[in-house]
Amino acid sequence: MGLTEAQAQERDIERFAAPQGQDEAVLARQWAQVRARLQEEIGEVEYRTWLRQAVLHGLDGDEITVMLPTRFLRDFVNKEYGALLTALWQATNPVVRRVDIRTRAVQRAPEAGVVDAAGGADNAGALEAALGEPRPRATLAKAEDRGVVLAALDPRFTFETFVVGKPNEFAYACARRVADGQAPAGFNPLFLYGGVGLGKTHLMHAIAWELSHRAERDVTVAYMSAEKFMHRFISALRKQSTLEFKNELRSVDVLMIDDLQFLIGKDGTQEEFFHTFNALVDAGKQIVVSADKSPSDLSGIEDRLRTRLGCGMVADVHATTYELRMAILEAKAARAGADVPVKVQEFLAQKITSNVRELEGALNRLVAHAHLFNRPVTIETAHEVLHDVLRAYDRKVTIEEIQKQVADHFNIRVAEMASARRARNIVRPRQIAMFLAKQLTTRSLPEIGRKFGNRDHTTVMHAVKQVTALCEKDAGVAEDVELLRRSLSV
């Protein structure tokens, strides 16, 4: 006599549920199969961003419980991947009828454990408010679990989401080499530098994600801000546990320090970092550092440390170009699933030029406003929603201000801007001043030319072309121009 469906299901449940030891081994194998299929279905990037931290809790009757570390991840995975998870489990184990996704307590790092990623948690609220969803954060992972010591990495900051353009392609290529484990000895340390909001921290997070999420590697990564390094060193001094602090950091395979400029003037911390640096390099371990200036320009850093920092691969992240800003806006809008017309993207790319962070923030606010009030994204709504941001960029800069700032920067007299002298040390600053006058004022080319000794408008056009080309191939000129632009925009 055949079994009814209910009887067959009851039999399957008994078979999979006992004995306990066998059940755990069977479920572990099935969970591995489900995860492998899941990764195939959704791709590696989405899998490691949203589901790598999923842990199997157990089988209760016909219900499988899967645990995730945060409520946001639980809700997101339940909404986006719940049906797929259930289907994969049912295909692997006919007993399973439901998948229950819950949150689990995240284990905090011990006092001697490592690290906070720079800026990870502090800026989360702004993005949550703008997009209406919390920003997921990576949980701490013990070295014995994944060979990693990490905290607060932003899963959005991966190589896949980094928009590459002329200003950052070299830094991106260097970061990729280190993350892929293919960097030659000359890449140690990798020193990334550039202005605020240009993508240094994104690349640092991307390297850490890549190193920490490759299962075939047995790599221990420590990632922290220079401020956190200093606080932990001071704490070790107070607790008389400096030996433990030294041993912990010097036992990692990759040490990553963000915003090294914070150590300027902190002589004791610089001393400890210098010795840690030497110990790791001598042991063949990789170091990755970021700062707002190149090693040679970091005043207040000891010469011996500056020399060591500059002996590896130094890669700068230049100020964004209009083309790169457009590519970033297009990528961010597509990722958010937002309909942002090209004309609005062009408007934002032309108006918000200082850094990527402000550009993304403006886009987030605009998209959130359109979503909340069910309004289309237009240039008019951009003016309305972003009036405070745009006002800061609309500050009226005069050509006289530009000439004075440029003259001070290059240590020449303001009168030289309008003189007929054609010495190289005068021509270059004069061309940069003309370039900035074209970029930062609404004056016409003939008007600009008149301010520079009644020069013809074609001279101004030539200067703009020259400086544009120099910024693309000469990092020093690009830094000078960006520094002047920022000081004039304050």
Side-chain angles (χ1 to χ4, degrees):
M1 181 175 162
L3 296 173
T4 65
E5 182 178 347
Q7 289 171 327
Q9 183 176 338
E10 191 67 32
R11 179 201 62 191
D12 287 341
I13 290 173
E14 290 175 359
R15 183 179 59 175
F16 278 95
Q20 183 68 24
Q22 180 183 349
D23 175 49
E24 289 180 0
V26 170
L27 285 177
R29 287 196 297 272
Q30 293 172 352
W31 179 227
Q33 293 171 17
V34 169
R35 288 169 75 98
R37 288 285 309 282
L38 192 59
Q39 193 166 358
E40 287 177 17
E41 291 279 344
I42 67 175
E44 183 183 352
V45 175
E46 284 195 41
Y47 172 80
R48 74 185 186 199
T49 299
W50 304 111
L51 287 152
R52 188 175 179 87
Q53 299 175 68
V55 174
L56 179 65
H57 182 66
L59 174 66
D60 183 11
D62 62 353
E63 183 176 83
I64 279 284
T65 302
V66 173
M67 312 292 279
L68 283 161
T70 68
R71 283 178 297 174
F72 170 74
L73 280 177
R74 177 200 65 191
D75 295 343
F76 184 88
V77 169
N78 203 31
K79 176 183 175 184
E80 299 294 330
Y81 306 112
L84 178 59
L85 260 175
T86 302
L88 292 175
W89 263 110
Q90 289 174 345
T92 305
N93 182 342
V95 168
V96 176
R97 293 290 181 270
R98 294 184 300 278
V99 176
D100 182 24
I101 302 173
R102 303 180 187 175
T103 56
R104 60 183 169 86
V106 178
Q107 192 164 16
R108 299 289 299 176
E111 180 67 27
V114 188
V115 309
D116 288 331
D122 294 341
N123 298 324
L127 186 60
E128 291 171 12
L131 294 182
E133 60 183 29
R135 177 164 59 177
R137 304 176 186 103
T139 56
L140 291 167
K142 291 183 178 179
E144 60 264 32
D145 292 336
R146 290 194 304 174
V148 186
V149 189
L150 293 172
L153 287 180
D154 190 330
R156 289 179 173 83
F157 286 174
T158 65
F159 285 118
E160 289 76 11
T161 60
F162 189 83
V163 181
V164 183
K166 203 91 175 145
N168 59 30
E169 61 184 359
F170 180 65
Y172 173 84
C174 291
R176 268 288 193 188
R177 290 290 293 274
V178 170
D180 293 342
Q182 299 174 355
F187 276 61
N188 201 14
L190 171 60
F191 191 102
L192 302 172
Y193 76 94
V196 175
L198 298 181
K200 301 186 304 298
T201 297
H202 190 142
L203 285 177
M204 294 281 282
H205 282 229
I207 293 171
W209 274 118
E210 195 74 15
L211 288 169
S212 64
H213 286 79
R214 293 213 166 189
E216 70 272 15
R217 294 185 187 165
D218 184 16
V219 178
T220 303
V221 182
Y223 179 27
M224 68 184 78
S225 66
E227 182 180 11
K228 175 61 82 173
F229 181 93
M230 184 193 73
H231 288 325
R232 294 192 62 243
F233 175 57
I234 293 173
S235 177
L237 287 174
R238 287 174 179 163
K239 296 177 181 178
Q240 298 183 339
S241 59
T242 53
L243 183 61
E244 183 181 358
F245 173 78
K246 293 173 190 285
N247 291 338
E248 180 189 15
L249 284 186
R250 296 176 193 186
S251 66
V252 303
D253 298 301
V254 181
L255 175 63
M256 306 183 69
I257 302 293
D258 210 355
D259 291 324
L260 189 75
Q261 70 273 4
F262 188 83
L263 295 188
I264 290 175
K266 316 294 194 305
D267 294 340
T269 309
Q270 280 188 43
E271 176 87 13
E272 179 56 36
F273 177 71
F274 176 75
H275 293 305
T276 299
F277 182 105
N278 285 340
L280 288 171
V281 171
D282 291 345
K285 306 301 178 63
Q286 179 70 49
I287 294 177
V288 183
V289 175
S290 78
D292 61 350
K293 296 178 182 176
S294 67
S296 59
D297 292 331
L298 281 174
S299 58
I301 294 288
E302 291 183 11
D303 287 341
R304 59 177 182 170
L305 178 56
R306 184 186 295 108
T307 302
R308 293 306 299 266
L309 290 170
C311 71
M313 180 56 66
V314 178
D316 57 336
V317 184
H318 294 169
T320 58
T321 60
Y322 172 78
E323 291 76 17
L324 180 56
R325 292 194 293 274
M326 280 295 292
I328 290 169
L329 287 168
E330 184 180 356
K332 297 297 178 185
R335 189 172 176 81
D339 181 17
V340 182
V342 174
K343 285 198 173 296
V344 176
Q345 294 180 30
E346 290 174 346
F347 172 74
L348 295 178
Q350 288 170 346
K351 286 289 186 180
I352 303 174
T353 59
S354 64
N355 65 63
V356 176
R357 200 171 296 151
E358 287 194 5
L359 189 65
E360 291 182 6
L363 179 66
N364 290 340
R365 283 175 60 181
L366 195 54
V367 170
H369 183 273
H371 175 73
L372 290 171
F373 294 98
N374 195 26
R375 296 173 61 184
V377 177
T378 65
I379 292 179
E380 288 71 28
T381 56
H383 275 290
E384 178 186 337
V385 175
L386 304 174
H387 60 91
D388 55 332
V389 178
L390 298 175
R391 186 168 57 245
Y393 283 92
D394 283 341
R395 189 180 83 82
K396 302 304 180 194
V397 180
T398 66
I399 294 176
E400 288 78 12
E401 281 183 89
I402 293 170
Q403 289 176 331
K404 185 178 185 311
Q405 286 268 22
V406 174
D408 290 344
H409 183 80
F410 289 101
N411 198 27
I412 64 173
R413 293 182 295 115
V414 176
E416 303 285 10
M417 292 287 173
S419 74
R421 289 187 60 193
R422 298 192 58 78
R424 182 180 176 82
N425 67 316
I426 302 297
V427 171
R428 181 62 51 76
R430 185 189 294 143
Q431 288 179 331
I432 289 175
M434 289 180 181
F435 172 85
L436 290 170
K438 177 68 173 66
Q439 294 285 316
L440 301 179
T441 75
T442 57
R443 299 290 186 178
S444 66
L445 293 178
E447 287 177 308
I448 294 171
R450 284 195 289 273
K451 293 287 187 178
F452 287 85
N454 289 319
R455 284 175 165 81
D456 190 79
H457 73 281
T458 57
T459 304
V460 181
M461 288 175 60
H462 175 71
V464 171
K465 288 179 182 177
Q466 282 284 99
V467 175
T468 302
L470 281 169
C471 285
E472 291 182 357
K473 63 183 181 182
D474 189 324
V477 174
E479 285 181 33
D480 285 333
V481 171
E482 179 57 23
L483 185 62
L484 286 163
R485 189 203 304 274
R486 282 190 213 149
S487 63
L488 287 161
S489 299
V490 173

